[in-house]
């Protein structure tokens, strides 16, 4: 049994880079729109007035 030497190992070569995915721009746009819609919905929910002073939602509709 012989010991391996560094000269017996195959040379290390860098891997070829894969081409960029053509749908990457669409993915980034969809994520940005999702964040914008979520921010808009959170803003509208946080700015809504309370239903009534006593906390019953039916009280506002019954008056």
């Amino acid at each position: 049994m012989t010991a391996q030497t560094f000269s017996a190992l195959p040379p290390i070569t860098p891997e070829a880079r894969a081409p960029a995915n053509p749908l990457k721009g669409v993915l980034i746009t969809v994520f940005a729109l999702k964040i914008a819609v979520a921010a808009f919905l959170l803003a509208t929910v946080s700015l809504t007035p309370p239903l009534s002073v006593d906390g019953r939602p039916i009280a506002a509709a019954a008056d």
Side-chain angles (χ1 to χ4, degrees):
M1 199 160 139
T2 60
Q4 278 193 339
T5 62
F6 286 109
S7 60
L9 295 174
I12 298 173
T13 57
E15 295 182 13
R17 294 187 72 178
N21 193 336
L23 295 177
K24 184 177 181 181
V26 174
L27 180 69
I28 292 172
T29 304
V30 168
F31 283 160
L33 286 174
K34 286 176 72 170
I35 291 172
V37 168
F40 174 74
L41 292 174
L42 285 173
T44 55
V45 168
S46 66
L47 295 175
T48 56
L51 294 175
S52 64
V53 177
D54 60 355
R56 293 182 300 154
I58 300 172
D63 290 339

